[in-house]
Amino acid sequence: MQKYIYLFAFALLFLSCDKQSKIESAVEKIPVTMKVHRFEQAFFDAKPEELAKVKVAYPDFFPVGTPDNVWIDKMQNPQWRELYAEVEKKYKNFGAEQTDIEDLFKHIKYFFPTVITPQIYTAIGEMDYLNKAIYANDKLVIALELYLGKDHKFYSEFPAYLRQNFEQRQMLPDVVSSFSYGILPAPKDKELLSLMINSGKELYLKDVLLPDYTDAERIGYSEDQIKWCAENEDYMWQFFVSNKLLFSTDSRLPNRFINLAPFSKFYLEIDNETPGRVGQWLGWQIVRSYMQNNEVTVTQLLKMDAKEIFEKSKYKPKK
């Protein structure tokens, strides 16, 4: 009997790999060429008397009403110029990143053919870690100051759970997150399960759009954090069920289990061992289980109700 189980499992794996191979073959044939605009180079390499030309070339980067002396001071400010120098060390040539982004948009165009391929704009901002990459229809803005490497001296005041994702490798997962905001319908209610599955949909998008990335890279965890979640999946699920959290609308739950945080808040001794956002990780496993057990396209998945996904997922946490 065990022999047949192994054979069945192997057959499923073979079919899955074959399907993935066909998708990748089709993706490769999709033509995508993206133009890159290096705003930070145009701005910091310009002389003060050239500011007017930069403003004409990049009007979206200059809020109306801001006097020119503010921009000239920024051009000449030693701290901004040091930051620009560090960004130039790592990203003076953006060719490899451009190729990766173009490959990502080939995958996006495969699953979402009507999506507009944006032009890429690189920039240096105010280290807004909530907006590292912004996709807005025909523009994709990348804040390069937040991809210098987690141990860079400029990040010394950031907590470790944020610093760990200030890596070049996190650029594409951040782009997918921003892209998802425009196509993912908002949850119909504020129940924890709805928030979990909404996050799970976003992470499943990373499964299909970033097939060469690890789970840790997709969610922005370390390998140890992914391992912790896998080893404690059943425990976490039983905690949510026994404490009747899944259908609760308690406004404190997102900060405990969904939103960015150094750790999740079970209010137990294990809290300091946990990664933040474990509700997102569990929602991801539910969505994965649903997609494994149902014939549904990615676009159909994104529109589906969370409760229907949960009920038809046949989700069983691994013990």
Side-chain angles (χ1 to χ4, degrees), residues 19 34 38 49 78 82 84 99 103 133 139 141 160 180 238 248 282 288 290 315:
K19 180 181 179 182
M34 303 171 76
R38 302 299 305 271
E49 58 267 26
E82 182 185 8
Y84 173 56
T99 299
D103 184 66
K139 293 181 177 65
V141 182
S180 73
Q238 294 305 324
S248 172
L282 281 170
R288 281 176 163 176
Y290 174 81
Y315 170 67

Side-chain angles (χ1 to χ4, degrees), residues 101-142:
I101 294 170
E102 288 175 343
D103 184 66
L104 167 60
F105 272 87
K106 287 183 179 183
H107 285 81
I108 289 175
K109 295 287 282 186
Y110 175 84
F111 291 101
F112 307 94
T114 61
V115 164
I116 296 172
T117 301
Q119 297 189 46
I120 303 168
Y121 290 78
T122 63
I124 296 175
E126 302 280 353
M127 293 203 177
D128 179 1
Y129 61 85
L130 294 177
N131 292 290
K132 295 160 68 184
I134 301 173
Y135 170 78
N137 199 27
D138 62 342
K139 293 181 177 65
L140 172 63
V141 182
I142 308 289

Side-chain angles (χ1 to χ4, degrees), residues 53-300:
K53 292 182 180 179
V54 180
K55 291 174 71 174
V56 169
Y58 297 91
D60 293 336
F61 288 85
F62 296 92
V64 175
T66 304
D68 284 355
N69 67 291
V70 171
W71 304 115
I72 292 171
D73 287 346
K74 185 174 181 178
M75 278 181 176
Q76 300 174 332
N77 182 286
Q79 291 179 317
W80 277 104
R81 297 207 65 83
E82 182 185 8
L83 178 56
Y84 173 56
E86 291 298 303
V87 168
E88 279 287 274
K89 285 180 186 178
K90 191 170 182 65
Y91 295 111
K92 186 175 182 63
N93 185 327
F94 200 70
E97 289 75 22
Q98 178 182 354
T99 299
D100 289 342
I101 294 170
E102 288 175 343
D103 184 66
L104 167 60
F105 272 87
K106 287 183 179 183
H107 285 81
I108 289 175
K109 295 287 282 186
Y110 175 84
F111 291 101
F112 307 94
T114 61
V115 164
I116 296 172
T117 301
Q119 297 189 46
I120 303 168
Y121 290 78
T122 63
I124 296 175
E126 302 280 353
M127 293 203 177
D128 179 1
Y129 61 85
L130 294 177
N131 292 290
K132 295 160 68 184
I134 301 173
Y135 170 78
N137 199 27
D138 62 342
K139 293 181 177 65
L140 172 63
V141 182
I142 308 289
L144 293 180
E145 82 278 8
L146 287 165
Y147 298 101
L148 297 177
K150 64 183 178 181
D151 297 320
H152 197 281
K153 62 181 179 180
F154 290 150
Y155 304 148
S156 60
E157 294 185 4
F158 284 93
Y161 78 97
L162 294 177
R163 282 201 315 270
Q164 72 183 38
N165 288 315
F166 293 172
E167 297 282 351
Q168 183 275 339
R169 186 74 172 168
Q170 279 302 305
M171 196 177 290
L172 294 194
D174 289 341
V175 173
V176 176
S177 289
S178 185
F179 168 73
S180 73
Y181 300 153
I183 61 170
L184 258 179
K188 293 180 180 179
D189 56 61
K190 295 182 179 180
E191 292 178 352
L192 180 61
L193 180 65
S194 294
L195 302 179
M196 290 166 60
I197 289 180
N198 195 64
S199 296
K201 289 178 180 179
E202 177 187 328
L203 288 162
Y204 187 79
L205 268 182
K206 295 181 182 182
D207 283 342
V208 299
L209 298 178
L210 299 172
D212 295 332
Y213 275 58
T214 66
D215 280 4
E217 291 168 334
R218 289 168 182 153
I219 194 173
Y221 277 176
S222 67
E223 290 296 339
D224 285 343
Q225 288 173 322
I226 281 287
K227 183 179 178 183
W228 189 94
C229 287
E231 291 176 348
N232 291 276
E233 181 176 359
D234 183 61
Y235 173 81
M236 290 191 291
W237 184 249
Q238 294 305 324
F239 179 90
F240 281 25
V241 172
S242 62
N243 286 278
K244 298 181 173 58
L245 300 183
L246 292 176
F247 302 104
S248 172
T249 57
D250 186 334
S251 61
R252 295 170 294 183
L253 291 175
N255 283 335
R256 289 177 63 186
F257 300 113
I258 301 293
N259 300 336
L260 271 172
F263 53 84
S264 296
K265 301 173 182 67
F266 292 88
Y267 300 141
L268 298 170
E269 290 183 4
I270 64 165
D271 280 6
N272 287 335
E273 303 172 18
T274 70
R277 301 178 290 127
V278 296
Q280 289 192 21
W281 187 88
L282 281 170
W284 191 12
Q285 309 319 306
I286 294 170
V287 171
R288 281 176 163 176
S289 181
Y290 174 81
M291 293 303 283
Q292 288 170 0
N293 290 298
N294 296 272
E295 289 293 328
V296 174
T297 66
V298 174
T299 51
Q300 289 171 332

